Amino acid sequence: MNDPVLPRLALLRFLERVQLRDLERTRRWIAEEERREAESRRGRAARPPAPDWLIEQSLSRDVPPVYVHVGGCHMAGKRSKGVAREQALRALADRVDPCPHCRPDAALGFVD
């Protein structure tokens, strides 16, 4: 009556196979995550540097730009593009408003 249907050793071998399969799956997950992290690091390293100056365009292409910003300004809109220092100075001279938050006119030493 006390005889098990399967011997204890067979049950332990079955458990071992299940755990090895789980371990292999976990190792695949770890390898995939390491690959994703390495890819993300490469992407961040290859990203071009942020521009020093931005010009924010208006909604219409027929209207002059709205603001000149310092690069990284939190108020710069999605329609902003990076420009060189000379272009930012030229835009301020052409009466494009400086952003009141980042004050590119002061950073550029622009005197009206």
Side-chain angles (χ1 to χ4, degrees), residues 53 70 85 88-89 92-93 98 102-112:
W53 311 102
V70 171
R85 175 181 168 79
L89 282 167
L92 290 171
C102 63
R103 301 296 310 204
D105 50 344
L108 287 164
F110 181 78
V111 179
D112 195 15

Side-chain angles (χ1 to χ4, degrees), residues 41-91:
R41 280 192 303 274
R42 281 192 305 273
R44 284 192 302 271
R47 189 176 296 153
D52 292 332
W53 311 102
L54 301 168
I55 293 184
E56 184 174 348
Q57 302 297 321
S58 64
L59 290 173
S60 171
R61 294 188 188 271
D62 302 330
V63 180
V66 180
Y67 286 118
V68 175
H69 296 275
V70 171
C73 174
H74 68 280
M75 293 301 292
K78 291 182 180 180
R79 296 178 314 276
S80 300
K81 67 174 186 172
V83 296
R85 175 181 168 79
E86 294 75 28
Q87 290 172 297
L89 282 167
R90 190 175 323 114

Side-chain angles (χ1 to χ4, degrees), residues 15-31:
L15 177 61
E16 180 184 37
R17 284 192 307 273
V18 170
Q19 289 177 334
L20 284 173
R21 189 184 66 220
D22 288 347
L23 179 60
E24 289 169 5
R25 182 180 58 213
T26 301
R27 287 179 175 159
R28 278 194 313 271
W29 290 345
I30 290 170

